[in-house]
Amino acid sequence: MVTVRRSILSAFFSAALASTCLADAPTSSGTGFDTRYIQISTPIQPGNSGGPVVDRDGFLIGITSATLSKGIADEIGITAQNVNFAIRASVADLFLQSQGIKGQSGDRAADQQPISTADLADKITPSVFQILCYGEEQEQTSINTPSATTNLPAQPIASFIGARGYDAIGFDYRAVKDVTYSGCHEICEGDSQCKAITYNTKHGVCFLKDNVVALIRNSDAVAAYASSKAADVIVSDFTSYSGVDLPGGDYKRLRGSNYLQCFTACISDNACKAFSYVPKKSECWLKDVIGRPKATKGVELGIK
């Protein structure tokens, strides 16, 4: 595993108190080689979660999210210290863009002078705020769907299994616009060809599928699939985004492909950390580096 050492600051918000600490931290993939996270050695305390992790120039590189649990340490027989994890800033930016929130980015100026730890802490602390997020009330349906934080699909009732916050990857044969989720489900139930659906909650579009092979995370989607397909469906760690690209990091191009082929190519290649699929060109770009996200129409992005 290749690691890059860099000095970072970690700040946290707790009640009315914000504080910072400095450490020399290796950054790499998170636990299980989950590329959405970086590993940091900066000591963290209760209240750090959700706080920014910045570099020596004050640029955000991650958001503190987790630490190595005692259970894992007991399991491996090693008491590891300061093994902590932060969500990459690029992943947070993707989330903001998916919610229609624009962020700001920049690069270090060539003539920028070094900032002392104390001065940097003073500059960062006023920018740390507590933000509370509340989900919208969801339409009641006949399918028992899990909450957005659930990682597994719901158990079947009747003939379909529902999964909120997931997109069903399969073979689309029809799209129905301006429909509710209940209407989408009813259309599928009445069509013997339909084995799964993905409903786009943001645009009110229903995608009917005659097969399903996997589920990938998508905050704007609700999926449902026939219980007869349950044994064949893979619950993937991928997260998908529409209208977003990660420029750079391309190492392989697949022409004449579809989304499913692009997804399969990435999931079967250990070097692949993300992919960009361009439907109009039927092109798939596999990426071994997660760069800075950029809003781009006509691009479907998937991140491991």
Side-chain angles (χ1 to χ4, degrees):
M1 178 187 298
V2 178
T3 60
V4 180
R5 302 191 68 84
R6 62 197 298 182
S7 293
I8 65 173
L9 277 169
S10 176
F12 73 90
F13 180 94
S14 179
L17 174 66
S19 112
T20 60
C21 53
L22 175 66
D24 192 31
T27 66
S28 62
S29 294
T31 171
F33 295 99
D34 190 331
T35 56
R36 294 171 300 152
Y37 296 85
I38 55 175
Q39 181 179 326
I40 60 176
S41 64
T42 305
I44 64 174
Q45 306 295 334
N48 277 110
S49 294
V53 178
V54 301
D55 63 15
R56 271 293 189 180
D57 298 311
F59 290 107
L60 181 72
I61 61 175
I63 299 173
T64 307
S65 60
T67 187
L68 188 68
S69 68
K70 183 179 182 300
I72 296 296
D74 292 342
E75 184 177 332
I76 63 177
I78 299 174
T79 303
Q81 295 183 348
N82 298 330
V83 180
N84 306 311
F85 303 94
I87 297 174
R88 290 180 184 271
S90 58
V91 175
D93 195 4
L94 284 169
F95 170 76
L96 292 176
Q97 290 188 30
S98 71
Q99 302 302 312
I101 302 173
K102 293 184 178 180
Q104 294 181 331
S105 61
D107 295 301
R108 186 181 190 277
D111 58 350
Q112 183 172 326
Q113 298 298 314
I115 306 175
S116 70
T117 301
D119 289 342
L120 182 56
D122 288 340
K123 288 179 177 292
I124 295 300
T125 299
S127 300
V128 182
F129 294 91
Q130 184 180 33
I131 300 176
L132 303 178
C133 299
Y134 300 93
E136 296 180 357
E137 184 176 354
Q138 299 294 331
E139 175 186 6
Q140 296 297 318
T141 70
S142 59
I143 289 183
N144 181 23
T145 56
S147 66
T149 57
T150 300
N151 291 327
L152 296 175
Q155 295 302 311
I157 56 175
S159 59
F160 276 77
I161 301 172
R164 185 173 300 280
Y166 281 91
D167 183 4
I169 304 303
F171 302 92
D172 300 355
Y173 68 90
R174 182 184 172 191
V176 183
K177 298 181 179 179
D178 300 322
V179 65
T180 64
Y181 174 71
S182 296
C184 180
H185 179 243
E186 289 174 4
I187 293 172
C188 184
E189 278 191 321
D191 186 345
S192 60
Q193 184 181 357
C194 185
K195 297 297 185 291
I197 59 172
T198 291
Y199 179 71
N200 186 302
T201 58
K202 182 177 290 187
H203 301 290
V205 180
C206 170
F207 297 92
L208 305 181
K209 305 166 186 286
D210 59 14
N211 199 1
V212 57
V213 296
L215 299 178
I216 63 175
R217 290 185 296 258
N218 187 325
S219 60
D220 295 328
V222 182
Y225 56 95
S227 57
S228 60
K229 292 288 184 180
D232 302 323
V233 174
I234 300 171
V235 181
S236 168
D237 287 333
F238 267 88
T239 302
S240 64
Y241 303 89
S242 296
V244 180
D245 192 14
L246 295 175
D250 303 323
Y251 71 92
K252 192 173 184 179
R253 180 185 186 185
L254 304 176
R255 290 189 174 95
S257 61
N258 57 37
Y259 186 90
L260 179 59
Q261 291 170 331
C262 191
F263 166 78
T264 303
C266 188
I267 202 172
S268 61
D269 187 344
N270 289 334
C272 185
K273 295 182 178 179
F275 67 84
S276 291
Y277 179 68
V278 186
K280 284 189 176 181
K281 297 182 179 180
S282 297
E283 288 184 346
C284 172
W285 298 84
L286 303 185
K287 302 173 180 289
D288 57 8
V289 175
I290 296 180
R292 181 177 296 167
K294 179 182 179 181
T296 309
K297 290 184 178 180
V299 175
E300 301 294 327
L301 176 67
I303 300 179
K304 278 184 179 177

